[in-house]
């Protein structure tokens, strides 16, 4: 069983598919990390007057992907934790990395194959316990291959613009 952050974007959608193909029971978790009203981010949110905020659209996209792939999805609220432990320190994570697990030895993080998308520099603070429990299913493929898989699967987010959030 693998719990996967399902953001509503194409990368996490294809990661869910790949893990499912590898035989894992995948549970998608959509993390609600930001609330423009609560965080008084009115000026930083140009879509504040829209009927639906970008995060709600991402959640709807994540639900559509979960339904398409036949996996469970849960929504978890991390607004306070995100503010306290991520935003104030500006630490982020990414999908495009690889990890080698060695029984009885330390796991080793490696750069992702796609040099334009490598995000290992965001993951440098993971300790061995965290690294040993991590999977990076996109690390061995390129963004172009991710898009192709999403198109082949007719995923509802196949052509969604890449996110730039932290």
């Amino acid at each position: 069983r693998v719990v996967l952050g399902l953001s509503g974007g194409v990368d996490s959608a294809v990661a869910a598919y790949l893990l499912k193909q590898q035989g894992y029971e995948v549970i998608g978790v959509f993390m609600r990390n930001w609330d423009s009203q609560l965080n008084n981010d009115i000026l930083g949110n140009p879509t504040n007057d829209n009927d639906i905020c970008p995060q709600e659209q991402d959640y709807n996209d994540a639900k559509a992907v979960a339904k398409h792939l036949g996996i469970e999805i849960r929504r978890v609220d991390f607004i306070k934790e995100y503010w306290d432990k991520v935003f104030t320190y500006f630490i982020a994570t990414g999908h495009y990395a690889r990890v080698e697990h060695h029984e009885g030895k330390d796991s080793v993080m490696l750069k992702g194959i796609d040099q334009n998308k490598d995000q290992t520099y965001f993951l440098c603070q993971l300790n061995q316990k965290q690294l040993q429990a991590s999977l990076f299913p996109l690390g061995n493929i390129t963004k172009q291959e991710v898009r192709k898989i999403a198109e082949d699967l007719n995923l509802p987010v196949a052509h969604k613009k890449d996110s730039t959030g932290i």
Side-chain angles (χ1 to χ4, degrees):
R1 177 180 285 179
V2 172
V3 176
L4 172 77
L6 197 58
S7 68
V10 68
D11 292 339
S12 63
V14 171
Y17 166 76
L18 293 174
L19 289 169
K20 191 173 175 185
Q21 291 301 302
Q22 293 171 18
Y24 290 100
E25 174 191 350
V26 179
I27 299 171
V29 174
F30 181 85
M31 298 179 292
R32 184 171 178 256
N33 297 326
W34 194 258
D35 184 314
S36 295
Q37 300 290 335
L38 183 64
N39 293 325
N40 199 25
D41 185 26
I42 307 306
L43 295 176
N45 186 7
T47 61
N48 196 48
D49 293 328
N50 290 3
D51 290 337
I52 185 170
C53 75
Q55 185 175 102
E56 287 303 312
Q57 183 58 56
D58 288 343
Y59 180 54
N60 288 339
D61 290 342
K63 288 192 306 186
V65 165
K67 182 177 181 181
H68 189 89
L69 295 176
I71 65 172
E72 178 183 348
I73 185 167
R74 299 177 186 172
R75 182 175 173 159
V76 182
D77 189 340
F78 286 113
I79 294 168
K80 181 179 180 344
E81 293 84 355
Y82 185 79
W83 180 267
D84 292 345
K85 299 185 188 285
V86 177
F87 191 75
T88 58
Y89 292 99
F90 205 74
I91 295 167
T93 63
H95 293 286
Y96 289 87
R98 294 179 294 150
V99 64
E100 286 182 356
H101 299 285
H102 303 281
E103 193 167 328
K105 296 181 181 178
D106 285 349
S107 292
V108 178
M109 180 173 295
L110 303 168
K111 287 185 174 184
I113 297 296
D114 190 327
Q115 294 300 308
N116 293 320
K117 297 298 287 184
D118 175 69
Q119 294 170 322
T120 52
Y121 56 93
F122 282 132
L123 303 167
C124 67
Q125 294 186 33
L126 290 179
N127 62 40
Q128 272 301 307
K129 184 177 180 182
Q130 294 166 322
L131 192 58
Q132 289 170 0
S134 296
L135 298 170
F136 301 104
L138 302 184
N140 288 313
I141 59 178
T142 66
K143 180 65 175 212
Q144 184 177 6
E145 291 170 302
V146 166
R147 291 274 184 208
K148 174 78 168 98
I149 291 168
E151 289 170 1
D152 291 348
L153 293 171
N154 200 28
L155 286 175
V157 293
H159 298 284
K160 186 174 181 178
K161 183 179 180 243
D162 286 351
S163 72
T164 57
I166 57 169

